Amino acid sequence: MVVLTKPSLGQVSLTRPQKPNHHHPPGIPVINLSEPGAEALVVRACEELGFFKVTDHGIPMELIAKLEEEAVKFFALPQTEKERVGPASPFGYGSKNIGCNGDTGWVEYLLMEITSKPMSHASLAFLTEPSASSFRSALNEYMSAVRKLACVVLESMAEGLKIEPRNIFSKLVMDEESDSVLRLNHYPPCPMPEASEGVVTGFGEHTDPQIISVLRSNDTAGLQISLRDGSWVSVLPDRAAFFINVGDSLQVLTNGRFRSVRHRVLANGLKSRVSMIYFGGPPSGERLAPLSLLMREGEESHYREFTWCEYKRCAYKTMLADNRLGQFEK
Ligand code: GA4
């Protein structure tokens, strides 16, 4: 049996508890992608929330469970073993510190770069060790399945928006050079200090910089999304489903029609939460600007053109909660 020593809260920041929301919280759209008319629901969800849940995604549960099991095994290793992976700057293992500008959370994680070459070539040397071969194969299988799912979703967005070609968005994440990331997060059960009023930040509020994020978690709650009025809605966990986030780059490509959703994760007092997220980004040199196909007559671009590489460079200088797109608004 593995016994984990109780982690200490240290300098992890607290999340201000919000006043109870008296009106009924709106539901999160649940979309079955193979259902007729799914495209229109996808577009509506991207416009209103920038977030929805996908069922009937076709990714076998075994493949998902295998990666979860490997992640749980990894996070149960002694701290010194985990740190051998190397710090997440930007790819590697991180604990409590997020990014490099002072953000902290009640979380530990592995960040991995996705390259067109199988994992052997990727950033984390430990994955090439023979003992890591089952972890590596679970990651590779999961990554290619989830990337395909991201494509199906991006193609249904294009279809719902009635723009062609159908792969106008998906080609950006399918490109050999696409700059995508896989993140495994572990939120250990958190000893709740009294001052926290039961609310400790697992991962602080932010929007994702990429085009699309595809998230899957175990059965532990914690994820919340923010509505336009600034209130937070808790997302019921569903280990069999995937959750889709619109990222900043897709907000730009649609000239603000799709909303890059602010979200955060609160720590749980009792159970640990494990999540795995694929962030689909464009190739480094890709120029991002609103698609002219989507512009109505007389509509002006809300953003100045920039390359993905330029956006990332700026993003890594910001703190999680910052409004990163603000710097690129016209
Ligand atoms: C948010 C989305 C992804 O998790 C991530 C994060 C990245 C990191 O954890 O290193 C960033 C964050 C994310 C946005 C602003 C910068 C960069 C931490 C941070 C403060 C991997 C990403 O691409 O951007």
Side-chain angles (χ1 to χ4, degrees), residues 98-99 103 111 183 206 208-210 279 315-316 318 320 324:
I98 300 167
D103 282 289
L111 264 174
R183 170 167 217 137
H206 66 284
D208 294 340
Q210 292 81 0
F279 300 95
Y316 277 93
T318 62
L320 271 181
R324 277 173 282 284

Side-chain angles (χ1 to χ4, degrees), residues 15 25 91 125 134 171 176 194 201 221 224 296:
T15 298
F91 301 111
S134 62
K171 67 171 193 228
E176 282 261 303
E194 214 162 293
T201 308
Q224 295 190 321
R296 304 201 169 94

Side-chain angles (χ1 to χ4, degrees), residues 177-323:
E177 302 288 313
S178 96
D179 177 32
S180 299
V181 176
L182 192 81
R183 170 167 217 137
L184 300 178
N185 288 321
H186 173 222
Y187 302 89
C190 180
M192 293 289 176
E194 214 162 293
S196 72
E197 298 184 49
V199 197
V200 172
T201 308
F203 205 108
E205 63 173 284
H206 66 284
T207 62
D208 294 340
Q210 292 81 0
I211 296 173
I212 188 173
S213 318
V214 183
L215 173 141
R216 186 268 168 192
S217 79
N218 68 352
D219 260 332
T220 303
L223 178 63
Q224 295 190 321
I225 63 162
S226 146
L227 306 182
R228 286 180 197 275
D229 67 3
S231 62
W232 292 96
V233 174
S234 297
V235 178
L236 274 184
D238 181 348
R239 57 192 298 280
F242 284 90
F243 293 91
I244 308 293
N245 275 20
V246 169
D248 296 347
S249 301
L250 190 53
Q251 177 170 322
V252 170
L253 291 168
T254 59
N255 203 24
R257 187 159 159 190
F258 285 5
R259 173 176 183 258
S260 176
V261 62
R262 279 187 101 69
H263 54 287
R264 67 181 183 188
V265 176
L266 302 183
N268 191 296
L270 302 170
K271 296 200 303 171
S272 65
R273 174 178 164 94
V274 177
S275 62
M276 30 224 214
I277 309 129
Y278 161 85
F279 300 95
S284 248
E286 188 72 27
R287 290 171 194 280
L288 297 171
L291 295 174
S292 45
L293 279 168
L294 277 176
M295 306 281 265
R296 304 201 169 94
E297 216 178 280
E299 183 175 332
E300 278 174 32
S301 165
H302 300 319
Y303 309 94
R304 64 173 176 84
E305 188 181 283
F306 53 86
T307 62
W308 170 239
C309 151
E310 194 185 336
Y311 192 62
K312 273 219 327 194
R313 213 177 322 114
C314 291
Y316 277 93
K317 291 185 190 141
T318 62
M319 284 189 76
L320 271 181
D322 290 349
N323 169 20

Side-chain angles (χ1 to χ4, degrees), residues 26-84:
I28 307 280
V30 181
I31 304 176
N32 174 345
L33 288 177
S34 52
E35 191 181 5
E39 297 80 14
L41 301 178
V42 165
V43 166
R44 206 202 305 156
C46 293
E47 290 173 344
E48 288 174 0
L49 289 176
F51 188 83
F52 57 96
K53 168 169 156 176
V54 165
T55 58
D56 200 31
H57 46 72
I59 300 186
M61 196 59 201
E62 298 89 75
L63 197 149
I64 300 167
K66 196 170 143 206
L67 182 59
E68 183 179 329
E69 201 180 294
E70 290 292 338
V72 167
K73 250 185 1 202
F74 173 81
F75 289 120
L77 291 172
Q79 196 60 27
T80 49
E81 282 285 304
K82 291 186 277 193
E83 278 165 7
R84 275 187 50 221

